[in-house]
Amino acid sequence: MIGTKQIIRGGMMLLASTILMVTTGCDDNGSTPTPPAPKGPFTVSIYSTPTPKTKCSYFSFETNKVVELADADAQESKLWDIAIVGLSCRTNGGASGKGMGAAYRTNTTDFDNLKSAEEFIKNTNLWYTDKLGEIYYTFGIMPPPTTTMGINPLMTLGSWIKMDGSVMPPSLIVDDHVYIVRTAAGKYVKLQILDAKEGGKFGHFSLKYDFISDKGTNDKLAPREGEKVITGKEALSVLLPKEEAKSVRYLTIKDKEISQVDLDYIKSDMPVLEELDLTTSTLSIDPFDVGFKDNKVIKRLILPANLVTIGKGQLSYTGLEEVVFPGEKLENIGEGAFTFSGKIKSLKLPSSVIVIEKQAFYNMSSLEEINIPKNVVTLPYCTFMADKKLRRVVFEGPVKSFGSWVFDSCKSLTDLTFTSPAPPIMEKSWPFVDYKDWSNEDGSPRHIFSVPKGSVDAYLKAFKLSEEDRKFFREF
């Protein structure tokens, strides 16, 4: 049995009372009516303790209870909404289940005044469904054991929780931003981590949650310290004078055409700006303008939802740690677009992307993983060359050709997943890391191509590999 304790703190209505008040009879059509969502907010403790049948502790927001469920049965069940595994979390959707589960990270820590999911629902590319990944499922054993299963990329160790190893024993830093979780049934829940340990034991979560509507506004949300929201047609230097601009840490510009002059002003006169949100604005710059190039201050950039093109080098040589594409309009990523932006660990590209030009992600020294959208059919010359921490790439569609040195010097690259049974053609020079780096010291495979079942022979032929190289392929 999973060791699980639940606490519903004072001032909250006990779920048992709610259940007793719900009519269990049938309606006029003979079907059982859906009970209303329980009224919160609720604070619950969920303990994840592995057993022979489960590495997860499954929880239902609808019933406010832990669901006793084996991992093998979770994929087909809609009785759970989230599952705690180690210091990470699953949602019931994508690679983890048959439900409608997904997650969204908001910019606010104001749990009480976040009332509606409506403004977030339209930012389609910011919702994350579960993907297969390797995660730690328990702690207290060194090294911590790992497992591969569906996990939500927003809610993993390193994302919603970080471990500070500079002190002993290590401490946890939890993200206090409010998350929105779409349940298995398609309802919306706001969720906030209070803690992820108890009595020094990791994986003992204290969570606060409540159901919210899919309609309405959040106009009472408390601003963050140093936050400014502006709108207007004038130049940014007029809307936000220098004396005020120099102290702004979080800037949202709404419904404005952003010029290169505006971007230059941000670069030269906003020395502490950490986050720039342009979701509802339009980037009105020439494809050959420098864009955000060389901006070393901004850490998080939310680009316009209507953005169609990133011009040559327009996000290169920056100090960006995160670039967000909220919409599904982006089609073209220009030559050297992200070159030498060395702090970005992950990019979630919109499914609308069609063209990725040469050297688009060249020498991104921190990039670890990326999915190539389904409509991209060619990866040109040196697309990811010298990305030394890149370890995983997923091709969501049928890539037809690779240019020369696409993954040259990507020495950490161990997982290339192709979802199409038709392999790409190599145009000229070898696109992958050096063949000598494909094996571990003991000769075991280190570099793995994951391909659809029955397609290994086609990939061996296309990549001009021998029968003995079959060991580097894994079918799914």
Side-chain angles (χ1 to χ4, degrees), residues 218-230:
N218 293 302
D219 52 0
K220 293 184 180 179
L221 283 177
R224 293 169 285 179
E225 184 178 355
E227 185 170 23
K228 186 73 175 179
V229 179
I230 62 174

Side-chain angles (χ1 to χ4, degrees), residues 57-75:
S57 184
Y58 295 92
F59 185 81
S60 168
F61 292 123
E62 296 280 356
T63 64
N64 198 20
K65 288 184 178 180
V66 166
V67 179
E68 300 294 342
L69 190 67
D71 291 338
D73 300 325
Q75 185 73 34

Side-chain angles (χ1 to χ4, degrees), residues 7 15 23 26 37 49 70 106 136 141 152 186 194 202 216 221 260 266 275 286 326 331 343 349 354 399 419 448:
I7 303 170
L15 179 68
T23 302
C26 296
T49 305
T106 74
Y136 299 111
I141 303 172
N152 195 289
L194 303 180
F202 293 168
L221 283 177
Q260 184 63 54
I266 290 170
E275 178 178 293
D286 189 273
E331 295 180 357
K343 295 184 178 181
L349 302 178
I354 299 172
V399 178
T419 58
I448 297 295

Side-chain angles (χ1 to χ4, degrees), residues 346-367:
S346 178
L347 281 172
K348 187 185 181 188
L349 302 178
S351 60
S352 54
V353 173
I354 299 172
V355 176
I356 296 176
E357 297 185 13
K358 65 181 181 180
Q359 298 178 311
F361 310 105
Y362 173 74
N363 214 320
M364 293 182 69
S365 56
S366 294
L367 187 66

